Amino acid sequence: MRLEAITWDRLRDRLADRLLDLRTADDSPWPRVALDGAPAARPGELAADIADALRLRGRPSLVVGTEGFLRPASVRLEHGRQDVDTYYDGWYDTGALWREVFGPLDPGGSGRVLPDLRDPVTDRATRSPAVYLPPGGILLLHGPFLLRHWFPFDLGVHLQLSPGALRRRTPEAEHWTLPAFERYARETDPAGTADVLVRADDPRRPAWRG
């Protein structure tokens, strides 16, 4: 797999320019973009940078993180705090993401997206108001395991870390999650299926294929 060296600033601008011309597969007026990656790859930072670049280009966008759609602790920790299978399959409320994020952006939808549902720190409902994304506005959804749920993304960006880099950049207290990312790579092959691949082993010198 051949990748091209790039800076984060150039990557941000190249992706923002590409999104200006992005067409949806279902004629929805809202393009939907995945920034997929382990927390250690910091997909949320890239999503925020792209949103800033789009704003400068006159295009509205909405950044949503899946950490705001965690299931209640009583559900996701039912089998213990370090159950890998539950982390992979049951931590994130995909039903709520379909209902509150993707549903309003379907063709004929209202464009009113709920940006989060639950505070990951307090484990309480955020009660955030819905945010209106005007037609032509771009959804930038970031988080892990995004490319395995059949979400209707119009562009998928995967931030890849080698197993060694993933281990180095993941806090030791969270090393128990690493087998879940190995399983994701094996079962979903996000590096091979994403429209854009960003190799982020060295946080100062990314490389990409897009």
Side-chain angles (χ1 to χ4, degrees):
M1 183 184 303
R2 175 165 251 170
L3 300 176
E4 172 192 351
I6 196 170
T7 66
W8 288 110
D9 287 347
R10 285 179 54 220
L11 176 65
R12 172 202 63 206
D13 290 338
R14 294 277 293 273
L15 288 173
D17 288 339
R18 179 168 177 174
L19 296 185
L20 293 178
D21 297 323
L22 184 62
R23 297 291 180 265
T24 62
D26 57 3
D27 294 325
S28 167
W30 298 281
R32 295 141 298 191
V33 179
L35 283 304
D36 173 64
R42 300 178 180 176
E45 292 185 9
L46 182 58
D49 287 345
I50 294 171
D52 286 342
L54 287 170
R55 177 178 53 80
L56 293 174
R57 289 159 170 78
R59 180 65 66 86
S61 64
L62 178 63
V63 176
V64 176
T66 58
E67 73 273 7
F69 288 85
L70 287 171
R71 295 184 187 278
S74 60
V75 174
R76 69 178 188 272
L77 304 180
E78 181 180 5
H79 300 290
R81 293 184 175 273
Q82 298 186 358
D83 186 88
V84 175
D85 290 337
T86 303
Y87 176 65
Y88 186 64
D89 288 318
W91 268 42
Y92 297 95
D93 192 341
T94 55
L97 285 165
W98 276 104
R99 182 179 66 251
E100 306 292 354
V101 178
F102 290 104
L105 303 182
D106 281 342
S110 68
R112 298 185 61 80
V113 174
L114 193 66
D116 50 54
L117 193 64
R118 184 169 298 276
D119 187 310
V121 176
T122 65
D123 194 42
R124 294 179 179 176
T126 56
R127 304 190 187 279
S128 297
V131 176
Y132 177 64
L133 187 62
I138 299 171
L139 172 70
L140 301 168
L141 181 66
H142 64 86
F145 314 132
L146 289 179
L147 302 181
R148 62 180 292 261
H149 297 296
W150 301 101
F151 289 142
F153 291 119
D154 301 295
L155 187 79
V157 180
H158 176 63
L159 280 74
Q160 182 187 48
L161 294 174
S162 67
L166 179 61
R167 176 170 289 274
R168 288 193 304 273
R169 294 175 58 183
T170 298
E172 187 172 353
E174 298 172 14
H175 278 186
W176 65 271
T177 65
L178 298 180
F181 295 103
E182 295 173 5
R183 178 180 171 188
Y184 182 53
R186 183 174 65 251
E187 294 183 354
T188 304
D189 185 25
T193 58
D195 302 292
V196 176
L197 174 65
V198 179
R199 187 70 175 265
D201 285 2
D202 185 338
R204 299 164 300 175
R205 299 182 181 88
W208 82 314
R209 180 209 70 214

